[in-house]
Amino acid sequence: MFYLMFISSLTLIISSIVMILASLLSKKTIMDREKNSPYECGFDPKGSARLPFSLRFFLIAVIFLIFDVEITLLLPIASIMTLSALTSWLFTSLTFLLILLLGLYYEWYQGALQWSD
């Protein structure tokens, strides 16, 4: 147990040190107008490079990714059925499916799945 805690804390410390060093060393101090422009060829752009992005599209994409990962977690349940007791397998899979359905109904209730208003 002590060995596991030691390795976990050592990993946390090393990763924190690496992240801090990377953030300190990656700071760029030279701010050039040409380098900050969207085109580096020397021509002035005709329009803005920052086009408006639909927040609704982003929200639906994030919800899709979340449910896609959860479906990926559901796939091994079928192969585990033969290796575990039927009651524990049934309880675990039904609990996971219930959590998925509750999340879906909550998103539906909040109106996040409607594309147009």
Side-chain angles (χ1 to χ4, degrees):
M1 184 68 181
F2 177 73
Y3 182 71
L4 182 63
M5 289 182 61
F6 175 72
I7 294 296
S8 298
S9 62
L10 186 65
T11 304
L12 179 68
I13 291 170
I14 290 174
S15 62
S16 298
I17 290 172
V18 168
M19 286 191 300
I20 290 170
L21 283 176
S23 67
L24 289 176
L25 294 176
S26 69
K27 298 287 183 188
K28 294 183 180 180
T29 58
I30 300 173
M31 292 294 187
D32 189 17
R33 185 182 75 84
E34 293 297 325
K35 289 289 185 181
N36 288 335
S37 68
Y39 303 105
E40 294 183 11
C41 61
F43 296 109
D44 290 329
K46 292 181 182 179
S48 174
R50 308 281 186 229
L51 298 176
F53 188 71
S54 172
L55 190 61
R56 174 78 60 184
F57 175 76
F58 178 74
L59 182 64
I60 288 180
V62 169
I63 291 171
F64 172 77
L65 285 176
I66 290 170
F67 282 107
D68 195 38
V69 168
E70 289 172 351
I71 298 270
T72 305
L73 293 174
L74 272 175
L75 289 176
I77 287 179
S79 63
I80 292 175
M81 185 173 121
T82 58
L83 301 174
S84 63
L86 184 62
T87 56
S88 66
W89 176 84
L90 191 62
F91 179 73
T92 305
S93 59
L94 286 179
T95 304
F96 191 72
L97 284 173
L98 182 68
I99 292 171
L100 272 177
L101 283 174
L102 287 175
L104 178 65
Y105 289 143
Y106 179 74
E107 292 296 330
W108 192 1
Y109 177 73
Q110 292 293 321
L113 299 178
Q114 294 175 356
W115 184 255
S116 62
D117 291 330

